[in-house]
Amino acid sequence: MSMTPEQAAWFRDTFARLVDNVDAALLGKREVVALVLSAMIAEGHVLLEDAPGTGKTSLAKAIAASVQGTSTRIQFTPDLLPSDVTGVTIYDQANKRFEFHRGPVFASIVLADEINRASPKTQSALLEVMEESRVTVDGVAHEVGRPFLVIATQNPIEQAGTYKLPEAQLDRFMIKTSIGYPTLAVSERILVGAVDRNPSASLKPVITTRAVGEMADLAATVHIDPVVARYAAQIVEATREASATRLGVSVRGAIAMIRIAKVYAAAQGRHYVVPDDIKLLALPVWAHRLVLDPEAEFTGTTAETVMNNALADVEAPLARADA
């Protein structure tokens, strides 16, 4: 059953109130907020590559407060162990049985700060939970619940002592984006209210965590015409055939695009996806998944260049693709 126009209107209004609420803490970053919220409702995860002090922690806390959820922050360091992330089973002598003690990954919004500073072994602790929303310890699976959003950050400047994220892990992030520095006008507003060190604490919840799950289920019913799906597949194929890439967009990446495009369409009040949704989301959803040929990278070619070339080469369908 496809989403109705009335349901699309409700989704748009609810989504707009969420963006307004989170932006009240972040100030002036509505586009980024909308993108991250879209990823959350599409049940994906976010990689933020940004300089320190741009509001990444505030973003995570504001989203959690807006959906009546919980938030945790994990500071990734070289000595962090996988069990420090997922949790550990400990023998309780009083009860004479093993009990699982949950790690910080059991929260609605998990901020994995400077994820590339931890060892690959510790980074891999997030692979299962990001893909399946559960943690398996000693053969027992533990669900993390809905919503579940990992916001991982990495500093693009200080690379000494870091471990590059492997392609398998990058592919599990639905989008990669950055918050960036605020404009001058917004900076003035921030400085005027600088005494408030935790603006998200004063935020009122907009919806419940259960309602987020309902929005996710509703977004899945947004109609996507085979013509639009074919357009997305053609762009994916173009990234694989590009001479500058060793690896193009994966099947997981193609599926992630359809999921988040449906959420984005519903957030605009539409019950169907249009080609412009794919074009708008192409860079944040697909660019970080590309593995460039070393020679092309040496000559200055970037993943963004490959994506823009693919978008230019594939002609977008003209017909409206509603249900």
Side-chain angles (χ1 to χ4, degrees):
M1 182 178 178
S2 296
M3 176 186 285
T4 65
E6 293 76 19
Q7 289 173 323
W10 172 84
F11 193 105
R12 177 196 61 209
D13 295 341
T14 305
F15 189 88
R17 288 191 292 117
L18 275 173
V19 173
D20 290 340
N21 209 52
V22 176
D23 189 56
L26 211 59
L27 296 180
K29 296 296 179 180
R30 291 185 62 85
E31 291 184 3
V32 176
V33 169
L35 197 58
V36 173
L37 287 174
S38 295
M40 178 186 70
I41 297 173
E43 298 184 312
H45 305 285
V46 178
L47 178 61
L48 293 179
E49 189 170 80
D50 236 326
T54 51
K56 298 180 287 291
T57 302
S58 296
L59 174 63
K61 289 182 176 180
I63 293 176
S66 298
V67 301
Q68 286 188 343
T70 56
S71 67
T72 56
R73 178 177 178 273
I74 309 172
Q75 183 64 54
F76 278 69
T77 55
D79 60 346
L80 192 72
L81 298 175
S83 59
D84 295 330
V85 176
T86 59
V88 65
T89 301
I90 299 177
Y91 184 72
D92 188 337
Q93 291 185 342
N95 297 323
K96 299 187 184 312
R97 64 181 183 183
F98 287 94
E99 293 185 352
F100 177 63
H101 291 245
R102 296 187 171 193
V105 78
F106 286 86
S108 306
I109 314 296
V110 178
L111 180 66
D113 206 13
E114 294 190 292
I115 188 173
N116 55 336
R117 292 202 176 278
S119 67
K121 182 178 181 180
T122 302
Q123 290 178 18
S124 67
L126 288 173
L127 292 179
E128 180 190 13
V129 70
M130 288 174 65
E131 186 71 17
E132 303 178 24
S133 296
R134 69 180 184 184
V135 170
T136 302
V137 178
D138 295 333
V140 180
H142 305 272
E143 302 290 332
V144 294
R146 297 172 79 188
F148 176 66
L149 172 67
V150 173
I151 301 178
T153 74
Q154 58 180 3
N155 188 334
I157 305 301
E158 298 176 358
Q159 297 297 320
T162 64
Y163 300 86
K164 185 179 179 181
L165 294 180
E167 284 73 21
Q169 182 148 359
L170 283 173
D171 201 37
R172 280 171 168 79
F173 288 102
M174 180 169 279
I175 62 169
K176 178 184 176 183
T177 187
S178 63
I179 297 175
Y181 290 116
T183 63
L184 177 60
V186 172
S187 293
E188 292 176 359
R189 291 176 58 193
I190 293 173
L191 295 178
V192 168
V195 291
D196 187 2
R197 299 187 61 182
N198 187 16
S200 60
S202 59
L203 293 182
K204 302 296 183 184
V206 175
I207 57 175
T208 62
T209 52
R210 180 177 179 179
V212 176
E214 292 172 352
M215 290 181 74
D217 294 336
L218 186 59
T221 67
V222 170
H223 176 72
I224 180 162
D225 192 274
V227 172
V228 180
R230 179 177 176 79
Y231 173 60
Q234 288 174 325
I235 298 173
V236 168
E237 190 66 23
T239 66
R240 296 170 182 170
E241 295 178 350
S243 59
T245 59
R246 293 176 60 189
L247 285 176
V249 175
S250 66
V251 175
R252 181 190 284 118
I255 294 172
M257 170 60 79
I258 300 304
R259 285 166 50 195
I260 195 170
K262 288 184 174 184
V263 174
Y264 184 82
Q268 309 306 308
R270 283 185 276 104
H271 59 286
Y272 54 89
V273 178
V274 297
D276 281 347
D277 296 333
I278 307 296
K279 293 169 71 173
L280 184 69
L281 296 166
L283 287 177
V285 176
W286 282 338
H288 66 283
R289 304 173 193 270
L290 304 182
V291 178
L292 299 183
D293 181 81
E295 292 186 8
E297 199 169 8
F298 181 75
T299 59
T301 302
T302 64
E304 289 76 13
T305 303
V306 175
M307 280 308 314
N308 286 326
N309 290 340
L311 290 170
D313 292 341
V314 178
E315 185 177 357
L318 298 177
R320 198 181 86 161
D322 58 347

